[in-house]
Structure formats: structure tokens, C-alpha cells
Amino acid sequence: MARASTRTNGDTRKAVNRRAAAQPNEERPDRERRKEAPPVDPRALEALVEALDAARRGDFSVRLSKRRKGVLGDVAASYNELVETNERMTKELVRIARVIGREGRMTERASLPGAEGGWETSVGSINSLIGDLVRPTTEVGRVLNAVAEGDLSQKMALTIEGQPVKGEFLRIGTTVNTMVEQLSSFADEVTRVAREVGTEGKLGGQAEVKGVSGTWRDLTENVNLMASNLTDQVR
């Protein structure tokens, strides 16, 4: 009986050992896992701290070594990718500021190939801001070009995608539209007085341009003075 018990106990211990060997690492005791973990290289941690400190100061030129393996290698790869994206974003912002602000290429937009998540949102927001700033400038140019060609029917749009413009955009748009309205009104009145006095023979005609001041008023008064002089000469 003793021999049978000994064999049974031995078989049991072997079975337990086999099951323990078959267990995955996460199910083994912490002490065993700690024995298997590779030692951390202090120099790698120092390099990581220095790189993070450089990035904090806005220096995205520092890179971590790609030769490390394991977790430190993964950290280095992720960090390098992060600062590379930051560096590309910075260069793109500098480029877009130059080509739009200095070179006047209003149709240019920011681009960051491969951008996802917050990066993609940032690029989209920048381009939306550029579009909102460029649109009033383009509108002013369109209206002024029409005025230069003698078309006084054009006005700046005071809505953007169905929403009314506000702030400085509204002030600029209102000013430009008022200028065009005054030009149009003045031109209409001068044409009317010239036709009545010069063509139809209706003496005593006077131009009436409402709400004008400064040079506009001076021009209106000069036209009326000219019409009065013509009337006096005929009479």
C-alpha cells in the first residue's frame, strides 16, 4: 500500500508541474514574471527624458535610437513618429503662411498626408480658417473689378454658406456695398440731369443723391452748378 501511495503522489506532482509549465505567462506568479523581465537600460531612459524635454521646448529634431528592442523599442518608434508629425505640421504651417500671406496664392491650402484623428482635425480647421479669411478678400476684389469695368450692379455677399457674416467681415462688406450704391446713385443722377438738360431741353434739372458727404457731395453740387449755369445761359 505504501508503494502505491508513493507512485500516486509522484504522478500527481508530475501532472502539476506539466500544468504549470503549460500556463501562459500572465497566469504565473509575479515573482516568476519579474525574473523573466529584461533589465531596463538607464541610458535609454535618460535619452527618452532628454527627447521629451526637447519636444516640450518645441524642438522636434531629436530622435530616439531604433536599435532597441522590446518595450523601449516600441516607445522609441512611437515617439519618433509623434515628433516627425509635429515637425511636418510646423513646416506646413510655415509654408502655408508664406504662400498665402506673402505670395498671395489664395487657393493654396494646408496638407498633411497620412494625418488622422486630431492631426486631421487640426489641418481641416486651419483650412477652414483660411477659407473664411480669403472669401471676403476675394469678394472685395470681385466687386472692385466690376466697378473698374463700369458695372455698378455688383455687391459683396453678406452671407457665407447661408450664415450672415459678422464683425469686421460685416463692416467691410457693408462699406464696400455702400460705396457701390453711392457710385451707382451718383452715376444715375448725372446721367438723368445730362439727358434732361442736354437732350430733352428740360432746364433747371438738379441731381439728388441722398446720404452723400465729402467728395460725393462736392461732385453732386458741381453737377448741379453746371446744370444751373447752362440753364442761365439759355434763358
Side-chain angles (χ1 to χ4, degrees), residues 32-212:
E32 186 175 350
R33 288 205 303 270
R34 284 197 297 269
K35 289 181 180 179
E36 295 177 356
V40 177
D41 186 354
R43 292 175 299 179
L45 293 179
E46 290 176 1
L48 176 59
V49 171
E50 291 177 0
L52 289 172
D53 189 55
R56 179 182 60 82
R57 298 193 309 270
D59 180 4
F60 303 130
S61 63
V62 179
R63 299 291 186 272
L64 294 175
S65 174
K66 299 180 180 179
R67 292 177 296 178
R68 300 189 183 280
K69 299 180 180 180
V71 175
L72 287 177
D74 294 339
V75 170
S78 297
Y79 171 83
N80 290 343
E81 184 176 352
L82 175 64
V83 293
E84 284 171 5
T85 304
N86 265 298
E87 189 173 37
R88 287 196 296 131
M89 173 67 88
T90 301
K91 291 180 179 179
E92 182 63 8
L93 291 178
V94 172
R95 183 192 71 84
I96 207 70
R98 184 187 71 254
V99 298
I100 294 179
R102 300 290 180 84
E103 300 175 9
R105 291 154 58 183
M106 299 295 188
T107 59
E108 196 74 16
R109 293 296 182 269
S111 175
L112 194 67
E116 298 177 346
W119 298 116
E120 186 177 12
T121 301
S122 297
V123 173
S125 297
I126 291 168
N127 287 336
S128 178
L129 173 62
I130 293 171
D132 290 341
L133 290 173
V134 165
R135 190 176 289 109
T137 304
T138 304
E139 274 291 284
V140 170
R142 180 184 66 81
V143 173
L144 292 180
N145 186 65
V147 170
E149 294 177 352
D151 181 2
L152 301 180
S153 65
Q154 300 298 315
K155 292 185 179 180
M156 278 189 63
L158 298 182
T159 59
I160 297 177
E161 297 179 354
Q163 298 296 323
V165 296
K166 300 178 181 179
E168 284 299 303
F169 294 154
L170 178 60
R171 186 184 68 82
I172 293 171
T174 302
T175 300
V176 171
N177 289 344
T178 300
M179 179 195 70
V180 175
E181 288 173 359
Q182 289 179 342
L183 271 173
S184 179
S185 178
F186 178 77
D188 290 343
E189 281 297 289
V190 169
T191 301
R192 180 185 65 80
V193 171
R195 184 183 67 252
E196 289 180 354
V197 175
T199 303
E200 300 175 1
K202 295 180 180 179
L203 303 179
Q206 295 286 285
E208 296 180 3
V209 183
K210 297 180 180 180
V212 295

